[in-house]
Amino acid sequence: EVQLVESGGGLVQPGGSLRVSCAASGFTFSNYAMSWVRQPPGKGLEWVSAINSGGGSTSYADSMKGRFTISRDNAKNTLYLQMNSLKPEDTAVYYCAKSTIATTSSLLVDLNAWGQGTLVTVSS
């Protein structure tokens, strides 16, 4: 059974930084691309970033470029999202998701397993 467990969310002030993690199990982590997707309060899902199976290729939504960094440790079956220069509009539940393919994709339809999410609140 595929399991994805996010952690590291919390309250951070505007301009601050936070790193969220996702522990994966139940599948061969190193074979699949992974994504982060977020859902702001009262809004729909928004793709944030993706990383390919080997970790050498990444992609970001335009509003996150230069502020967020996705990475993975295949030896630890763990996905990360480092978030810097956080803004109030970054407030959301952040989900990690497993792709059906090894290469990066911004399409939610390419994602076939999701974690339960971790809440990030950016507020003073």
Side-chain angles (χ1 to χ4, degrees), residues 1-86:
E1 178 189 3
V2 174
Q3 286 197 326
L4 300 169
V5 180
E6 299 93 337
S7 61
L11 175 65
V12 61
Q13 292 188 339
S17 298
L18 198 66
R19 188 178 81 161
V20 292
S21 302
C22 172
S25 61
F27 65 103
T28 304
F29 183 70
S30 59
N31 283 357
Y32 297 95
M34 298 291 295
S35 283
W36 287 100
V37 178
R38 70 184 185 184
Q39 186 169 28
K43 297 185 179 181
L45 294 171
E46 178 185 21
W47 174 79
V48 172
S49 181
I51 187 167
N52 72 339
S53 59
S57 178
T58 59
S59 57
Y60 299 91
D62 286 345
S63 61
M64 289 73 167
K65 286 180 181 176
R67 299 191 300 125
F68 290 10
T69 302
I70 190 172
S71 62
R72 64 191 296 162
D73 185 334
N74 284 347
K76 295 183 178 179
N77 289 353
T78 303
L79 177 72
Y80 304 99
L81 184 68
Q82 175 69 43
M83 301 181 286
N84 299 328
S85 302
L86 283 161

Coordinates of all heavy atoms in Angstrom, one line a residue, residues 1-86:
E1 N 0.8 -1.2 0.0 CA 0.0 0.0 0.0 C 0.9 1.2 0.0 O 1.8 1.4 0.8 CB -0.9 0.0 1.2 CG -1.8 1.2 1.3 CD -2.5 1.3 2.7 OE1 -2.3 0.4 3.5 OE2 -3.3 2.2 2.8
V2 N 0.6 2.1 -0.9 CA 1.3 3.4 -1.0 C 0.9 4.3 0.2 O -0.2 4.5 0.5 CB 1.0 4.1 -2.3 CG1 1.7 5.5 -2.3 CG2 1.5 3.3 -3.5
Q3 N 1.9 4.8 0.9 CA 1.7 5.7 1.9 C 2.6 6.9 1.8 O 3.8 6.8 1.5 CB 1.9 5.1 3.3 CG 0.8 4.1 3.7 CD 0.9 3.8 5.2 OE1 1.9 3.8 5.8 NE2 -0.3 3.6 5.8
L4 N 2.0 8.1 1.9 CA 2.8 9.4 1.9 C 2.4 10.2 3.1 O 1.2 10.4 3.3 CB 2.4 10.1 0.6 CG 2.7 9.4 -0.7 CD1 2.1 10.2 -1.9 CD2 4.2 9.3 -0.9
V5 N 3.4 10.5 3.9 CA 3.1 11.2 5.2 C 3.9 12.5 5.2 O 5.1 12.5 5.3 CB 3.4 10.3 6.4 CG1 3.1 11.0 7.7 CG2 2.7 9.0 6.3
E6 N 3.2 13.6 5.2 CA 3.8 14.9 5.2 C 4.0 15.4 6.7 O 3.3 15.0 7.6 CB 3.0 16.0 4.5 CG 2.7 15.7 3.1 CD 1.4 15.0 2.8 OE1 0.9 14.3 3.7 OE2 0.9 15.1 1.7
S7 N 5.0 16.2 6.8 CA 5.3 16.8 8.2 C 6.0 18.1 8.0 O 6.5 18.4 6.9 CB 6.2 15.8 9.0 OG 7.4 15.6 8.4
G8 N 6.1 18.9 9.0 CA 6.9 20.1 9.0 C 6.1 21.4 8.8 O 6.7 22.5 8.9
G9 N 4.8 21.3 8.7 CA 4.0 22.5 8.5 C 3.9 23.2 9.8 O 4.3 22.8 10.9
G10 N 3.4 24.5 9.8 CA 3.2 25.3 11.0 C 3.0 26.7 10.6 O 2.7 27.1 9.5
L11 N 3.2 27.5 11.7 CA 3.0 29.0 11.5 C 4.3 29.7 11.3 O 5.3 29.4 12.1 CB 2.3 29.5 12.8 CG 2.1 31.0 12.9 CD1 1.2 31.5 11.8 CD2 1.6 31.4 14.3
V12 N 4.4 30.5 10.3 CA 5.6 31.2 10.1 C 5.3 32.7 9.7 O 4.2 32.9 9.1 CB 6.4 30.5 8.9 CG1 5.6 30.5 7.6 CG2 7.8 31.2 8.7
Q13 N 6.1 33.6 10.0 CA 5.9 35.0 9.7 C 6.2 35.3 8.2 O 7.0 34.6 7.6 CB 6.7 35.9 10.6 CG 6.3 35.9 12.1 CD 7.1 36.9 12.9 OE1 8.1 37.4 12.5 NE2 6.5 37.2 14.0
P14 N 5.6 36.3 7.7 CA 5.9 36.7 6.3 C 7.4 37.0 6.2 O 8.0 37.6 7.0 CB 5.1 38.0 6.1 CG 3.9 37.8 7.0 CD 4.5 37.1 8.2
G15 N 8.0 36.5 5.1 CA 9.4 36.6 4.9 C 10.2 35.5 5.5 O 11.4 35.4 5.2
G16 N 9.6 34.6 6.2 CA 10.3 33.5 6.9 C 10.4 32.3 6.0 O 10.0 32.3 4.8
S17 N 11.0 31.3 6.5 CA 11.3 30.0 5.8 C 10.7 28.8 6.6 O 10.5 28.9 7.8 CB 12.8 29.8 5.6 OG 13.3 30.9 4.9
L18 N 10.4 27.8 5.8 CA 9.9 26.5 6.4 C 10.3 25.4 5.4 O 10.3 25.6 4.2 CB 8.4 26.6 6.6 CG 7.7 25.6 7.5 CD1 8.2 25.9 8.9 CD2 6.2 25.8 7.4
R19 N 10.6 24.2 6.0 CA 10.8 23.1 5.1 C 9.8 22.0 5.5 O 9.7 21.6 6.7 CB 12.2 22.5 5.3 CG 12.5 21.4 4.3 CD 13.9 20.8 4.4 NE 14.0 19.9 5.5 CZ 15.0 19.0 5.5 NH1 16.0 19.0 4.6 NH2 15.1 18.2 6.6
V20 N 9.1 21.5 4.5 CA 8.1 20.4 4.8 C 8.7 19.2 4.1 O 9.5 19.2 3.2 CB 6.7 20.7 4.2 CG1 6.1 21.8 5.0 CG2 6.8 21.1 2.7
S21 N 8.4 18.0 4.7 CA 8.9 16.7 4.3 C 7.8 15.8 4.0 O 6.6 15.9 4.5 CB 9.8 16.1 5.4 OG 10.9 17.0 5.7
C22 N 8.1 14.7 3.2 CA 7.1 13.7 2.9 C 7.8 12.4 2.9 O 8.7 12.1 2.1 CB 6.5 14.0 1.5 SG 5.4 12.6 0.9
A23 N 7.4 11.5 3.9 CA 8.0 10.2 4.0 C 7.2 9.2 3.1 O 5.9 9.1 3.3 CB 8.0 9.7 5.4
A24 N 7.8 8.5 2.2 CA 7.1 7.6 1.3 C 7.4 6.1 1.6 O 8.5 5.8 2.1 CB 7.5 7.9 -0.1
S25 N 6.4 5.3 1.4 CA 6.5 3.9 1.6 C 5.5 3.1 0.8 O 4.5 3.7 0.3 CB 6.4 3.5 3.1 OG 5.1 3.8 3.5
G26 N 5.8 1.8 0.6 CA 4.8 1.0 -0.2 C 5.0 0.9 -1.7 O 4.3 0.3 -2.4
F27 N 6.1 1.6 -2.1 CA 6.4 1.5 -3.6 C 7.9 1.9 -3.7 O 8.5 2.3 -2.8 CB 5.6 2.5 -4.4 CG 5.8 4.0 -4.1 CD1 6.5 4.8 -4.9 CD2 5.2 4.6 -2.9 CE1 6.7 6.1 -4.7 CE2 5.4 5.9 -2.7 CZ 6.2 6.7 -3.5
T28 N 8.4 1.6 -4.9 CA 9.8 1.9 -5.2 C 10.0 3.4 -5.5 O 9.8 3.9 -6.6 CB 10.4 1.1 -6.4 OG1 10.1 -0.3 -6.1 CG2 11.9 1.3 -6.5
F29 N 10.3 4.2 -4.4 CA 10.3 5.6 -4.5 C 11.2 6.2 -5.6 O 10.8 7.1 -6.3 CB 10.8 6.1 -3.1 CG 10.8 7.6 -2.9 CD1 9.7 8.3 -2.8 CD2 12.0 8.3 -2.9 CE1 9.7 9.7 -2.7 CE2 12.1 9.7 -2.7 CZ 10.9 10.4 -2.6
S30 N 12.3 5.5 -5.8 CA 13.3 6.1 -6.8 C 12.8 5.9 -8.2 O 13.5 6.3 -9.1 CB 14.6 5.4 -6.6 OG 14.5 4.0 -6.7
N31 N 11.7 5.2 -8.5 CA 11.2 4.9 -9.8 C 10.3 6.0 -10.3 O 10.0 6.0 -11.5 CB 10.5 3.6 -9.9 CG 11.5 2.4 -10.0 OD1 12.7 2.6 -10.0 ND2 11.0 1.2 -9.9
Y32 N 9.8 6.9 -9.4 CA 8.7 7.8 -9.8 C 9.1 9.3 -9.5 O 9.7 9.6 -8.5 CB 7.5 7.4 -9.1 CG 7.0 6.0 -9.4 CD1 7.3 4.9 -8.7 CD2 6.2 5.8 -10.6 CE1 6.9 3.7 -9.0 CE2 5.7 4.6 -10.9 CZ 6.1 3.5 -10.1 OH 5.7 2.3 -10.5
A33 N 8.6 10.1 -10.4 CA 8.6 11.5 -10.1 C 7.6 11.8 -8.9 O 6.7 11.0 -8.7 CB 8.2 12.3 -11.3
M34 N 7.9 12.9 -8.2 CA 7.0 13.3 -7.1 C 6.7 14.8 -7.3 O 7.4 15.6 -7.9 CB 7.7 13.1 -5.8 CG 8.1 11.7 -5.5 SD 6.7 10.6 -5.1 CE 6.1 11.4 -3.6
S35 N 5.6 15.2 -6.7 CA 5.1 16.6 -6.8 C 4.7 17.1 -5.4 O 4.3 16.3 -4.5 CB 3.9 16.7 -7.8 OG 4.4 16.7 -9.1
W36 N 4.7 18.4 -5.3 CA 4.0 19.1 -4.2 C 2.8 19.8 -4.8 O 3.0 20.5 -5.9 CB 4.9 20.0 -3.5 CG 5.9 19.4 -2.6 CD1 7.2 19.1 -2.9 CD2 5.7 18.9 -1.3 NE1 7.8 18.5 -1.9 CE2 6.9 18.3 -0.9 CE3 4.6 18.8 -0.4 CZ2 7.1 17.8 0.4 CZ3 4.8 18.2 0.8 CH2 6.0 17.7 1.2
V37 N 1.7 19.7 -4.2 CA 0.4 20.4 -4.6 C -0.1 21.1 -3.3 O -0.1 20.5 -2.3 CB -0.6 19.4 -5.2 CG1 -1.9 20.1 -5.6 CG2 0.0 18.7 -6.4
R38 N -0.7 22.3 -3.5 CA -1.2 23.0 -2.3 C -2.7 23.3 -2.5 O -3.1 23.5 -3.7 CB -0.4 24.2 -2.0 CG -0.5 25.3 -2.9 CD 0.4 26.5 -2.5 NE 0.3 27.7 -3.3 CZ 1.0 28.7 -3.2 NH1 2.0 28.8 -2.3 NH2 0.8 29.8 -4.0
Q39 N -3.4 23.6 -1.4 CA -4.8 24.0 -1.5 C -5.0 25.1 -0.5 O -5.0 24.9 0.7 CB -5.7 22.9 -1.2 CG -7.2 23.3 -1.4 CD -8.1 22.1 -1.4 OE1 -7.9 21.0 -0.8 NE2 -9.2 22.2 -2.1
P40 N -5.0 26.4 -1.0 CA -5.3 27.5 -0.1 C -6.7 27.4 0.5 O -7.6 26.7 -0.1 CB -5.2 28.7 -1.0 CG -4.4 28.2 -2.1 CD -4.8 26.8 -2.3
P41 N -7.0 28.0 1.7 CA -8.3 27.9 2.3 C -9.4 28.4 1.3 O -9.3 29.5 0.7 CB -8.2 28.9 3.5 CG -6.7 29.0 3.8 CD -6.0 28.8 2.4
G42 N -10.4 27.6 1.1 CA -11.5 27.9 0.3 C -11.3 27.9 -1.2 O -12.1 28.4 -2.0
K43 N -10.1 27.4 -1.6 CA -9.8 27.4 -3.0 C -9.4 26.0 -3.5 O -9.4 25.1 -2.7 CB -8.6 28.4 -3.3 CG -8.9 29.8 -2.9 CD -7.7 30.7 -3.3 CE -8.0 32.2 -3.0 NZ -6.9 33.1 -3.4
G44 N -9.2 25.9 -4.8 CA -8.9 24.6 -5.4 C -7.4 24.2 -5.3 O -6.6 24.9 -4.7
L45 N -7.1 23.0 -5.8 CA -5.8 22.5 -5.8 C -4.9 23.3 -6.8 O -5.3 23.7 -7.8 CB -5.7 21.0 -6.2 CG -6.4 20.1 -5.2 CD1 -6.5 18.7 -5.8 CD2 -5.7 20.0 -3.9
E46 N -3.6 23.5 -6.3 CA -2.7 24.3 -7.2 C -1.4 23.5 -7.2 O -0.8 23.3 -6.1 CB -2.5 25.7 -6.6 CG -1.4 26.5 -7.3 CD -1.1 27.8 -6.7 OE1 -1.4 28.0 -5.5 OE2 -0.6 28.7 -7.3
W47 N -0.9 23.1 -8.3 CA 0.4 22.4 -8.5 C 1.5 23.4 -8.1 O 1.5 24.6 -8.5 CB 0.6 21.9 -9.9 CG 1.9 21.3 -10.1 CD1 2.3 20.1 -9.8 CD2 3.0 21.9 -10.8 NE1 3.6 19.9 -10.2 CE2 4.1 21.0 -10.8 CE3 3.2 23.2 -11.4 CZ2 5.3 21.3 -11.3 CZ3 4.4 23.5 -11.9 CH2 5.5 22.6 -11.9
V48 N 2.5 22.9 -7.3 CA 3.6 23.8 -6.8 C 4.9 23.5 -7.5 O 5.5 24.3 -8.0 CB 3.7 23.6 -5.3 CG1 5.0 24.3 -4.8 CG2 2.5 24.1 -4.6
S49 N 5.2 22.2 -7.5 CA 6.6 21.8 -8.0 C 6.6 20.3 -8.2 O 5.8 19.5 -7.6 CB 7.6 22.2 -6.9 OG 8.9 21.9 -7.4
A50 N 7.6 19.9 -9.0 CA 7.8 18.5 -9.3 C 9.3 18.2 -9.5 O 10.1 19.1 -9.8 CB 7.0 18.0 -10.6
I51 N 9.6 16.9 -9.2 CA 11.0 16.5 -9.3 C 11.0 15.1 -9.9 O 10.1 14.3 -9.6 CB 11.7 16.5 -7.9 CG1 13.2 16.2 -8.1 CG2 11.0 15.5 -7.0 CD1 14.0 16.5 -6.8
N52 N 12.0 14.9 -10.8 CA 11.9 13.6 -11.5 C 12.5 12.5 -10.6 O 12.9 12.7 -9.5 CB 12.7 13.6 -12.8 CG 14.2 13.7 -12.6 OD1 14.7 14.1 -11.6 ND2 15.0 13.4 -13.6
S53 N 12.4 11.3 -11.1 CA 12.7 10.1 -10.2 C 14.1 10.2 -9.7 O 14.4 9.8 -8.5 CB 12.5 8.8 -11.0 OG 13.3 8.8 -12.1
G54 N 15.1 10.6 -10.4 CA 16.5 10.6 -10.0 C 16.9 11.9 -9.2 O 17.9 11.9 -8.6
G55 N 16.0 12.9 -9.3 CA 16.3 14.1 -8.6 C 17.0 15.2 -9.4 O 17.3 16.3 -8.9
G56 N 17.4 14.9 -10.6 CA 18.2 15.8 -11.4 C 17.4 16.8 -12.2 O 18.0 17.7 -12.7
S57 N 16.1 16.7 -12.2 CA 15.3 17.7 -13.0 C 14.1 18.1 -12.1 O 13.4 17.3 -11.5 CB 14.8 17.0 -14.2 OG 13.9 17.9 -15.0
T58 N 13.9 19.4 -12.1 CA 12.8 20.0 -11.3 C 12.0 21.0 -12.1 O 12.5 21.5 -13.1 CB 13.4 20.7 -10.0 OG1 14.3 21.7 -10.4 CG2 14.1 19.7 -9.1
S59 N 10.8 21.3 -11.6 CA 10.0 22.3 -12.3 C 9.1 22.9 -11.2 O 8.8 22.3 -10.2 CB 9.2 21.7 -13.4 OG 8.3 20.7 -12.9
Y60 N 8.8 24.2 -11.5 CA 8.1 25.0 -10.5 C 7.0 25.8 -11.1 O 7.1 26.3 -12.3 CB 9.0 26.0 -9.8 CG 10.1 25.3 -9.0 CD1 11.3 25.0 -9.6 CD2 9.9 24.9 -7.7 CE1 12.4 24.4 -8.9 CE2 11.0 24.3 -7.0 CZ 12.2 24.0 -7.6 OH 13.2 23.4 -6.9
A61 N 5.9 26.1 -10.4 CA 4.9 27.0 -10.8 C 5.6 28.4 -10.8 O 6.5 28.7 -10.0 CB 3.7 27.0 -9.9
D62 N 5.1 29.3 -11.7 CA 5.8 30.6 -11.8 C 5.9 31.4 -10.5 O 6.9 32.0 -10.2 CB 5.1 31.4 -12.9 CG 5.3 30.9 -14.3 OD1 6.3 30.2 -14.5 OD2 4.6 31.3 -15.2
S63 N 4.9 31.3 -9.7 CA 4.8 32.1 -8.5 C 5.8 31.6 -7.4 O 6.0 32.3 -6.4 CB 3.4 32.2 -7.9 OG 2.9 30.9 -7.6
M64 N 6.3 30.4 -7.6 CA 7.2 29.8 -6.6 C 8.7 29.8 -7.0 O 9.6 29.6 -6.2 CB 6.8 28.3 -6.3 CG 5.5 28.1 -5.6 SD 4.1 28.5 -6.6 CE 2.8 27.8 -5.6
K65 N 8.9 30.1 -8.3 CA 10.3 30.1 -8.8 C 11.1 31.1 -8.0 O 10.7 32.2 -7.8 CB 10.3 30.4 -10.3 CG 9.8 29.3 -11.2 CD 9.9 29.7 -12.7 CE 9.3 28.6 -13.5 NZ 9.3 29.0 -15.0
G66 N 12.3 30.6 -7.6 CA 13.2 31.5 -6.9 C 13.0 31.5 -5.4 O 13.8 32.0 -4.6
R67 N 11.8 31.0 -5.0 CA 11.5 31.0 -3.5 C 11.5 29.6 -2.9 O 11.8 29.4 -1.8 CB 10.2 31.7 -3.3 CG 10.1 33.1 -3.7 CD 8.9 33.8 -3.2 NE 7.6 33.2 -3.6 CZ 6.7 32.7 -2.8 NH1 6.8 32.8 -1.5 NH2 5.6 32.2 -3.3
F68 N 11.0 28.7 -3.7 CA 10.8 27.3 -3.3 C 11.8 26.4 -3.9 O 12.2 26.6 -5.1 CB 9.4 26.8 -3.6 CG 8.3 27.4 -2.8 CD1 8.5 28.5 -2.0 CD2 7.0 26.8 -2.9 CE1 7.4 29.1 -1.3 CE2 5.9 27.4 -2.2 CZ 6.2 28.5 -1.4
T69 N 12.3 25.4 -3.2 CA 13.2 24.4 -3.8 C 12.7 23.0 -3.4 O 12.6 22.7 -2.2 CB 14.6 24.6 -3.2 OG1 15.1 25.9 -3.5 CG2 15.6 23.5 -3.8
I70 N 12.5 22.2 -4.4 CA 12.1 20.8 -4.2 C 13.3 19.9 -4.3 O 14.2 20.2 -5.1 CB 11.0 20.3 -5.2 CG1 10.4 19.0 -4.9 CG2 11.6 20.3 -6.6 CD1 9.2 18.6 -5.8
S71 N 13.4 18.9 -3.4 CA 14.5 17.9 -3.5 C 14.0 16.6 -3.0 O 12.9 16.5 -2.4 CB 15.7 18.4 -2.6 OG 15.3 18.6 -1.3
R72 N 14.8 15.6 -3.1 CA 14.5 14.3 -2.7 C 15.7 13.5 -2.2 O 16.8 13.8 -2.8 CB 13.7 13.5 -3.7 CG 14.5 13.2 -5.0 CD 13.6 12.6 -6.1 NE 13.0 11.4 -5.8 CZ 11.9 10.9 -6.4 NH1 11.4 11.5 -7.4 NH2 11.5 9.7 -6.1
D73 N 15.5 12.6 -1.3 CA 16.6 11.7 -0.9 C 16.1 10.3 -1.1 O 15.3 9.8 -0.3 CB 16.9 11.9 0.6 CG 18.1 11.1 1.1 OD1 18.4 10.0 0.5 OD2 18.8 11.5 2.0
N74 N 16.5 9.7 -2.2 CA 16.0 8.3 -2.6 C 16.5 7.3 -1.6 O 15.8 6.2 -1.4 CB 16.4 8.0 -4.0 CG 15.6 8.7 -5.0 OD1 14.5 9.3 -4.7 ND2 16.0 8.7 -6.3
A75 N 17.6 7.5 -0.9 CA 18.1 6.5 0.1 C 17.2 6.5 1.3 O 17.0 5.5 2.0 CB 19.5 6.8 0.5
K76 N 16.5 7.7 1.6 CA 15.6 7.8 2.7 C 14.2 7.8 2.3 O 13.3 7.9 3.2 CB 16.0 9.1 3.5 CG 17.3 9.1 4.1 CD 17.6 10.4 4.9 CE 18.9 10.4 5.6 NZ 19.2 11.7 6.3
N77 N 13.9 7.6 1.0 CA 12.5 7.6 0.6 C 11.7 8.9 1.1 O 10.6 8.8 1.6 CB 11.7 6.4 1.0 CG 12.2 5.1 0.3 OD1 13.0 5.2 -0.6 ND2 11.7 4.0 0.8
T78 N 12.4 10.0 0.9 CA 11.8 11.2 1.5 C 11.9 12.4 0.4 O 12.9 12.5 -0.3 CB 12.5 11.7 2.8 OG1 12.5 10.6 3.7 CG2 11.9 12.9 3.4
L79 N 10.8 13.1 0.4 CA 10.7 14.3 -0.5 C 10.6 15.5 0.4 O 10.1 15.5 1.5 CB 9.4 14.2 -1.3 CG 9.0 15.3 -2.2 CD1 9.9 15.3 -3.4 CD2 7.5 15.2 -2.6
Y80 N 11.2 16.6 -0.1 CA 11.3 17.9 0.7 C 10.8 19.0 -0.2 O 10.9 19.0 -1.4 CB 12.7 18.2 1.1 CG 13.4 17.1 1.9 CD1 14.2 16.2 1.3 CD2 13.1 16.9 3.2 CE1 14.9 15.1 2.0 CE2 13.8 15.9 4.0 CZ 14.6 15.0 3.3 OH 15.2 14.0 4.1
L81 N 10.3 20.1 0.5 CA 10.1 21.3 -0.1 C 10.6 22.4 0.8 O 10.0 22.6 1.9 CB 8.6 21.5 -0.4 CG 8.2 22.8 -1.1 CD1 8.8 22.8 -2.6 CD2 6.7 23.1 -1.1
Q82 N 11.6 23.1 0.4 CA 12.2 24.2 1.2 C 11.5 25.5 0.7 O 11.5 25.8 -0.5 CB 13.7 24.4 1.0 CG 14.3 25.6 1.6 CD 14.3 25.5 3.1 OE1 14.5 24.4 3.7 NE2 13.9 26.6 3.8
M83 N 10.8 26.2 1.6 CA 10.1 27.4 1.2 C 10.7 28.6 1.9 O 10.8 28.7 3.1 CB 8.6 27.3 1.6 CG 7.9 26.1 1.0 SD 6.2 25.9 1.4 CE 6.4 25.3 3.1
N84 N 11.2 29.6 1.1 CA 11.8 30.8 1.6 C 10.9 32.0 1.2 O 10.1 31.9 0.3 CB 13.2 31.0 1.0 CG 14.1 29.8 1.5 OD1 13.9 29.3 2.5 ND2 15.0 29.5 0.6
S85 N 11.2 33.1 1.8 CA 10.5 34.4 1.5 C 9.0 34.2 1.4 O 8.3 34.6 0.5 CB 11.0 35.0 0.1 OG 12.4 35.2 0.2
L86 N 8.5 33.5 2.4 CA 7.0 33.1 2.4 C 6.1 34.4 2.5 O 6.5 35.4 3.2 CB 6.7 32.2 3.6 CG 7.2 30.7 3.3 CD1 7.3 29.9 4.6 CD2 6.2 30.1 2.3

